[in-house]
Amino acid sequence: MFRLITGIAGPSGFGSASTAEQVTQGIDATNLTVLITGGGSGIGFETARVLALRNAHVIIAARNIESANEAKQLILKDNKTAQLDVLKLDLASLKSIKAFADNFIALNLPLNILINNAGIMFCPYQLSEDRMEMQFATNHLGHFYLTKLLLDKMKETAKSSGIEGRIINLTSVAHLHTYDEGIQFDKINEETSYSDTKAYGQSKLANILHANELSRRLQAEGANITVNSVHPGLITTNLYRHSSIFIKTLKYLTYILWKNVRQGAATTCYVALHPALKGVSGKYFVDCNEFEPGTFATDKDLAKRLWDFSNKFVDAA
């Protein structure tokens, strides 16, 4: 907590006060193609901006194409040589995800880095078009399916280029506040027991479990791809539009702990690009430093069960 408040750097040399530009200073991402979901606003936009600044080719995948194109123009205004493309993606729709993946693969681009950044938070109870609780559908299943569809492309890119691929799942400290069983597999769509905050925590726990299980599987097959989870910190973005009065009041009272967007994108950019993390996989990062997640997040049996549950759902859709 002291380090969070003061911004004092950790073992990596960076801390909560570090910005995305600072943690990538001197890194040249030329010849790297990065796909980021939700790159049109908030920390996703800042991540896209900084990665483009470091000469990566950035693909912004977004549900709101108009907003994403506006974001693209904002980046180009200050960085006229930035390589940016925008593609439509609705993570709450498996049909949209499949169409996106088909469109991306048809472009015949490499894919070095996948950043599963987009998300929703504290939403009122609702189901996705595929009949899944919306926060779980968007935050976890959407990214699970997207990653599955693009994984072969990432393997091909890593093999042909000799450059390590990296997958980053954005999660949250909220993974500590979930349902009693961690993931409510048997009651995932139950409205009577629904809690907007616990459902969010459940989806963020799923992000870590997904990253850990995928990391284990890729390591077992010798693939040159790492997978890690990132908690960006407490950041003022439009994610909080569904927040209760209590959460908004708590946010006001704890303002000293909150980051700005440039600080909020730092850990994502650090894990995506920094050479110090070569070969590092299956880890959880906070403030650009490795951190120990909650007990559920390190449960290998839970991770395996979630993997099987998620596969079964997306394959049946």
Side-chain angles (χ1 to χ4, degrees), residues 76-314:
L76 287 170
K77 182 179 179 182
D78 293 328
N79 179 9
K80 292 179 173 54
T81 61
Q83 297 181 75
L84 294 160
D85 288 294
V86 174
L87 293 175
K88 185 173 179 58
L89 171 66
D90 182 356
L91 286 163
S93 164
L94 297 183
K95 181 180 178 181
S96 173
I97 296 166
K98 181 63 167 63
F100 171 89
D102 289 344
N103 290 338
F104 177 81
I105 291 169
L107 294 174
N108 199 31
L109 292 171
L111 183 56
N112 304 95
I113 300 170
L114 172 61
I115 302 176
N116 292 320
N117 165 83
I120 56 176
M121 184 180 192
F122 300 161
C123 303
Y125 178 83
Q126 58 182 310
L127 298 179
S128 69
E129 69 175 48
D130 302 296
R131 309 301 295 171
M132 177 60 66
E133 187 275 309
M134 187 62 83
Q135 293 192 82
F136 192 79
T138 303
N139 297 347
H140 167 62
L141 282 172
H143 285 123
F144 178 91
Y145 191 39
L146 177 67
T147 303
K148 179 177 181 175
L149 294 174
L150 297 178
L151 196 56
D152 283 345
K153 169 59 72 173
M154 292 198 70
K155 290 177 182 178
E156 291 169 11
T157 301
K159 186 174 182 179
S160 62
S161 67
I163 300 171
E164 176 184 86
R166 296 187 181 185
I167 299 172
I168 297 98
N169 280 2
L170 266 76
T171 180
S172 169
V173 70
H175 78 272
L176 298 169
H177 181 64
T178 183
Y179 295 105
D180 291 343
E181 58 269 62
I183 307 289
Q184 287 197 129
F185 293 106
D186 300 325
K187 300 185 291 183
I188 201 83
N189 286 341
E190 190 174 279
E191 185 173 3
T192 55
S193 63
Y194 181 76
S195 160
D196 57 356
T197 54
K198 288 183 178 181
Y200 178 69
Q202 174 180 247
S203 71
K204 295 290 99 181
L205 170 62
N207 292 147
I208 303 177
L209 293 171
H210 170 221
N212 291 351
E213 180 64 13
L214 179 57
S215 172
R216 185 189 69 78
R217 289 169 180 263
L218 290 173
Q219 286 178 321
E221 66 177 78
N224 188 23
I225 300 172
T226 63
V227 193
N228 292 293
S229 303
V230 164
H231 166 52
L234 300 174
I235 305 140
T236 302
T237 70
N238 62 6
L239 263 182
Y240 288 86
R241 62 188 179 277
H242 294 297
S243 298
S244 65
I245 293 176
F246 170 75
I247 294 293
K248 290 176 179 176
T249 302
L250 185 64
K251 177 181 165 185
Y252 174 77
L253 294 174
T254 58
Y255 72 94
I256 195 171
L257 303 177
W258 291 69
K259 298 180 180 182
N260 60 43
V261 170
R262 296 196 170 197
Q263 294 167 333
T267 306
T268 302
C269 289
Y270 173 74
V271 176
L273 288 187
H274 207 282
L277 295 187
K278 181 176 175 58
V280 176
S281 192
K283 304 299 182 181
Y284 171 64
F285 288 86
V286 179
D287 297 335
C288 300
N289 288 275
E290 191 178 325
F291 201 80
E292 189 67 24
T295 303
F296 279 133
T298 58
D299 187 328
K300 294 179 181 178
D301 291 334
L302 187 62
K304 175 64 166 58
R305 187 179 178 191
L306 176 65
W307 181 275
D308 292 341
F309 176 90
S310 303
N311 257 325
K312 183 178 179 180
F313 184 83
V314 300

